[in-house]
Amino acid sequence: MGEKESKHPLQVRFFKKLKDGLPDHISLVNVLADILSVSTDGIYRRLRGESEVSMDELFTICRHFKVSPEAMVGDESSTASFSFSPLSRKEKQFDEYFRGLYQQTAHIAAIPGHQMFFTAEETPIFHFFNYPSITAFKIYYWNKCVLNAPEYAEKKFEPCAVDPALVAVAKQLYDAYNKVNCTEIWSEKTIVGVLKQFEYVLETGNFASRMEARRVLDEIDAMMKHIRKMAEVGYKFDPHLPSRNPEGAFTMYQLDILMGNITVFIKAGEFRQVYIAFHSFNTLSTFHPILAAETESWLQNMIKRATLISGSAEKQREQFFAAASREIGFTRAKLDKYVF
């Protein structure tokens, strides 16, 4: 490395890691020139460490790419910075949350050689979003029971109770997720979360009709059958399309021990990112290198203790999904007995 290049080595490292996390078709130089209003020559000097990045420029870059400065330069402290999408009881902000999650997922799908790992103490929300009744139900549940949104206070569940624009954005999110290469670690209780939510809405008298409740449960059943098929073939595809075009790779494990949290880990080359679930369905995200390394190690330990249920593991897969089907059957029996 020449003398000019060694003036600001942390800055050079920052930009290298930033570039490693971008899809090939996106030019870091052009993006930086646009957001900083600096010539491309000026950007190249910053990338080489010949010109120093100002504090204002650094925070502009971090806000644009949703990264933390210390994580990108390899800070070795035990203090990590996180980003998240604040949610109030306003539907507009909920829409922004979905769109932001879509952009992040589409970005991950476009990174060459990427891998997503998902510890699923509850069913990953992406799976719901190819089914309109489940999607509407989840949005209804989050707004009414988690966010306590006032516009949902007197609403009973039926698809028209939910803004169809939110359902449409969720479908876009599903399509982006379908292109992501995933390894998901489930337990036999993963499916129980959405069923407990269903039963809560049922038992509080908040389904508009038996027909609407049955439609949601039928789609949960269809979703699980589709996940079983993806586990069998080892790739994602949209069950509503006539051709089964392979999209992202799909590997599935069953883990009998308690995982303790819902964690999403992304890696591609040197790029690492961690998402940790909180507040029922929101996430904290960080690029902190030590936390990312510990998360990767923890995930590998979980996988070592897990049972593969995708690909050739037919016996284990059939046992797992038979247990999930029984859980759905128990909930269906409660629906059949409920008096509307």
Side-chain angles (χ1 to χ4, degrees):
M1 183 177 288
E3 183 181 350
K4 288 186 177 180
E5 294 178 316
S6 64
K7 283 184 178 179
H8 307 289
L10 293 182
Q11 181 176 306
V12 172
R13 192 186 308 170
F14 175 98
F15 286 124
K16 182 181 185 305
K17 290 195 174 184
L18 201 61
K19 185 176 186 303
D20 288 343
L22 290 178
D24 287 344
H25 66 279
I26 294 180
S27 166
L28 177 61
V29 171
N30 291 341
V31 173
L32 292 176
D34 182 51
I35 66 174
L36 299 180
S37 300
V38 173
S39 69
T40 55
D41 285 344
I43 295 300
Y44 278 117
R45 287 194 293 272
R46 286 162 173 78
L47 263 60
R48 293 192 295 263
E50 297 169 8
S51 297
E52 186 175 11
V53 174
S54 71
M55 288 295 291
D56 285 344
E57 290 175 337
L58 177 62
F59 282 103
T60 297
I61 295 167
C62 290
R63 280 195 300 269
H64 179 83
F65 289 102
K66 295 182 173 61
V67 300
S68 58
E70 78 278 4
M72 297 304 289
V73 300
D75 177 41
E76 296 185 357
S77 74
S78 58
T79 302
S81 295
F82 291 87
S83 61
F84 73 102
S85 299
L87 281 169
S88 67
R89 296 178 293 176
K90 298 178 181 177
E91 263 191 333
K92 181 180 178 183
Q93 201 163 30
F94 208 88
D95 177 78
E96 291 170 356
Y97 167 74
F98 268 15
R99 293 185 186 279
L101 193 54
Y102 163 76
Q103 291 172 355
Q104 293 172 46
T105 306
H107 171 77
I108 291 164
I111 300 174
H114 72 271
Q115 285 285 329
M116 173 188 281
F117 296 82
F118 205 125
T119 59
E121 286 223 321
E122 293 185 15
T123 306
I125 62 171
F126 306 100
H127 290 295
F128 298 123
F129 293 160
N130 199 32
Y131 299 88
S133 290
I134 312 179
T135 301
F137 173 78
K138 292 293 288 187
I139 294 170
Y140 173 87
Y141 180 84
W142 289 330
N143 276 282
K144 186 178 181 72
C145 304
V146 178
L147 297 177
N148 200 28
E151 62 269 33
Y152 282 81
E154 302 301 324
K155 284 183 180 180
K156 290 180 180 279
F157 174 75
E158 52 187 333
C160 65
V162 175
D163 184 352
L166 288 177
V167 178
V169 174
K171 177 60 167 69
Q172 292 178 336
L173 178 53
Y174 170 84
D175 292 338
Y177 161 79
N178 243 21
K179 295 177 175 61
V180 175
N181 302 317
C182 279
T183 296
E184 294 186 358
I185 307 170
W186 289 45
S187 76
E188 284 193 352
K189 297 302 180 183
T190 297
I191 187 60
V192 171
V194 67
L195 297 177
K196 290 298 183 185
Q197 293 168 7
F198 177 95
E199 291 172 14
Y200 179 82
V201 174
L202 177 68
E203 291 165 4
T204 53
N206 279 306
F207 276 111
S209 69
R210 187 183 303 277
M211 179 186 70
E212 299 297 353
R214 184 173 288 124
R215 184 176 291 125
V216 172
L217 203 54
D218 287 346
E219 286 193 354
I220 293 173
D221 191 25
M223 176 191 72
M224 290 303 295
K225 288 175 180 174
H226 176 58
I227 294 172
R228 185 195 65 78
K229 191 63 180 178
M230 291 195 301
E232 178 186 336
V233 299
Y235 58 81
K236 299 177 186 175
F237 64 94
D238 189 334
H240 296 142
L241 296 179
S243 58
R244 188 187 295 173
N245 293 323
E247 297 194 70
F250 187 70
T251 304
M252 194 170 181
Y253 288 88
Q254 176 188 351
L255 185 64
D256 293 328
I257 65 174
L258 185 66
M259 288 177 277
N261 58 60
I262 299 172
T263 299
V264 180
F265 175 69
I266 315 294
K267 72 173 184 177
E270 294 184 7
F271 175 81
R272 299 288 188 274
Q273 187 173 12
V274 179
Y275 292 84
I276 300 171
F278 78 108
H279 291 177
S280 300
F281 60 91
N282 209 337
T283 55
L284 299 166
S285 67
T286 184
F287 296 86
H288 193 278
I290 296 178
L291 180 57
E294 290 203 357
T295 301
E296 186 170 12
S297 176
W298 173 75
L299 278 166
Q300 292 305 319
N301 287 335
M302 293 298 102
I303 288 172
K304 287 177 183 177
R305 289 166 172 76
T307 301
L308 181 70
I309 58 174
S310 57
S312 60
E314 182 178 4
K315 178 181 177 181
Q316 292 83 355
R317 180 169 57 252
E318 295 308 313
Q319 290 174 340
F320 177 84
F321 284 99
S325 182
R326 286 193 295 273
E327 294 286 353
I328 295 170
F330 297 149
T331 301
R332 194 179 296 279
K334 292 180 181 180
L335 172 61
D336 291 343
K337 293 177 182 178
Y338 187 80
V339 178
F340 282 81

